Amino acid sequence: MIPPFSHLIRLARAGFVLAREGVFALVDPEPLPAAAQIGVRLARLLERPTSASGAARLSTALGKLGPSYVKLGQFLATRPDVVGQAIATDLEKLQDKMPPFPQDEAETAIERALGRPVHAMFATFGPPLAAASVAQVHRAEIETPEGRRAVAVKVLRPGIEKDLRADIQAFFFAARLAEKFSAEARRLRLEQVVATLARSVTVELDLRLEAAAASEMADNIADDPDFRVPRVEWDLTAHNVLTTEWIDGTPLSDRAALERRGLDLPKLGRTVIQSFLRHAVRDGFFHADMHPGNLFVDDAGRLVAVDFGIMGRLTENERRFLAEILYGFISRDYRRAAEVHFEAGYVPASQSIDEFTQAIRAIGEPIHNRSAEDISMAKLLTLLFEVTALFDMKTRPELLLLQKTMVVVEGVGRMLDPKLDMWTTAEPVVRAWLERHLGPAGRVEGAVEGVGEVGRFLGAVPALLSRAARLSAQIDVATRDGLLLAPETVAGIGEAEARRNRGTTVALWVIAVLLLLNLWR
């Protein structure tokens, strides 16, 4: 465990760099406690003269502080509830680009991870082509029965794991300190925010998890004709090395090259939007960093995504919420859009559904009075989250990540087709999911799942009886050896065991009754 003194040193250095770059000029001191206001004013005395904008100041400071702070900035861009919408918008522009580390260090890291010399694994191994805060990418070739094949080799920066973990421990220290002295910090649950960041960084520090994400998405989209992901070379992948198929396609960031290929750009824009929605709504697993640099068009005209370090997941409940919300706005069924919030438990039952429906209508109606190219689905979700905050809707980090990704995806789609009609594009995907899951087929599947739950409950009955027998035997042994339990203690033990099983038992019997009623209807 790193002692708090080292945390203070790291945080003091970070505070100095932020102050020097003028970041505290972005902070409004009025709502802060008196001591914090004095701290902000003192920090501003360290500012160096600059004409840079707020976004440039923050990006520069985070870049100077290193990989951990770049990741922190990118993460906070998805949490406007913590940093405010203005700063979150600025952080979206933060670029994760760093100078590459030496070729020999990359080759040494690969050899240690995979246990073989580089020349024995790769027919060729080129210099780094792209470098970020956590890793860099090399182009290489491998021998196969069909001949040489190009691959992309991603290598973690040497020592990056130690540095990131030390900085994140300092973030935890700062969050705990803030929550101890600030009610607002406790409301925002800053320690939980840092925990979420830590989980995200853990995924990025083990490239096997990124490989697994690519593999999972490949399985999900196996039948999609217009979207694919690179194949993972598992034999050449380890915790700090990831080898995948090399993509020779045209990047979506190069519009001129796309036009020279004669591609249908409006159709490509629709493919970007529909693919993202399909992954989010159908699969509940989506690429959360779909900027133009991570998207290519291959020789067959298919969209190809790379870099699976940041992924988003949605539960079945969240997918239904998203689908019904979007379809409610598309069809102007604001009552249904409001009901979904209550059914999902996002808005407390104590709130008025009629008033909430009115608020939803206030967001939706202006959309239907605008031209197709002026309608932003991401902006709609942003407004929706702002309104729901008035009705005590708790922050949903997974939905914020979805909304932020949708902002990027919309930008890519509109770059390819400025007149892209978001609602016409989204409607087939959303409607297909609703028909599949809330229509007759979905009801049958739900009934089958209910039968399965009842079967699992009946199968668990012997284990429950066995556990009760073990508990009885333990009490018997304890009392036989001379340990006398008071009657209220024995009663407490029995009541605790009953409480442990009562909820599960009641819930499963309710499922069984509802299943029978459903089949009877």
Side-chain angles (χ1 to χ4, degrees), residues 342 347-352:
F342 284 82
V347 176
S350 58
Q351 298 293 325
S352 166

Side-chain angles (χ1 to χ4, degrees), residues 288-505:
D289 196 17
M290 287 182 68
H291 61 75
N294 281 342
L295 296 172
F296 297 80
V297 182
D298 67 10
D299 293 339
R302 292 175 297 180
L303 198 63
V304 187
V306 300
D307 192 354
F308 298 87
I310 305 175
M311 304 296 293
R313 285 193 185 275
L314 299 175
T315 65
E316 183 77 18
N317 196 37
E318 289 152 0
R319 287 149 64 187
R320 179 188 168 194
F321 169 78
L322 174 63
E324 291 215 58
I325 285 294
L326 293 179
Y327 199 74
F329 280 105
I330 292 171
S331 62
R332 302 176 73 177
D333 187 351
Y334 304 119
R335 179 76 180 191
R336 182 58 194 151
E339 289 172 348
V340 172
H341 283 77
F342 284 82
E343 292 171 5
Y346 293 161
V347 176
S350 58
Q351 298 293 325
S352 166
I353 192 169
D354 293 323
E355 292 179 2
F356 190 63
T357 301
Q358 182 180 356
I360 295 287
R361 179 180 293 274
I363 297 171
E365 280 303 297
I367 289 175
H368 294 281
N369 295 325
R370 296 180 182 177
S371 58
E373 60 266 28
D374 292 332
I375 298 174
S376 168
M377 194 179 300
K379 186 176 181 180
L380 180 143
L381 288 180
T382 301
L383 293 172
L384 182 62
F385 294 154
E386 289 176 359
V387 167
T388 51
L390 301 175
F391 291 83
D392 295 331
M393 176 176 168
K394 292 183 179 179
T395 299
R396 309 293 304 187
E398 66 284 353
L399 296 180
L400 288 173
L401 180 60
L402 174 85
Q403 183 261 334
K404 286 296 179 184
T405 307
M406 193 174 286
V407 170
V408 176
V409 171
E410 268 193 11
V412 175
R414 289 261 162 78
M415 177 189 73
L416 297 168
D417 178 13
K419 295 186 178 297
L420 181 66
D421 185 338
M422 291 297 301
W423 297 109
T424 301
T425 302
E427 194 268 348
V429 176
V430 176
R431 177 169 42 80
W433 189 89
L434 290 173
E435 290 176 351
R436 173 71 180 79
H437 290 268
L438 302 183
R443 290 170 63 87
V444 170
E445 284 188 2
V448 172
E449 289 176 3
V451 171
E453 287 292 336
V454 173
R456 281 189 287 274
F457 165 69
L458 294 175
V461 167
L464 295 175
L465 294 174
S466 175
R467 184 165 24 170
R470 286 197 302 272
L471 177 64
S472 175
Q474 289 167 359
I475 293 175
D476 181 63
V477 169
T479 55
R480 191 168 57 243
D481 290 342
L483 176 63
L484 298 177
L485 298 179
E488 59 270 20
T489 304
V490 176
I493 293 173
E495 180 62 24
E497 186 69 13
R499 279 199 305 271
R500 177 188 286 180
N501 299 321
R502 189 182 301 142
T504 301
T505 304

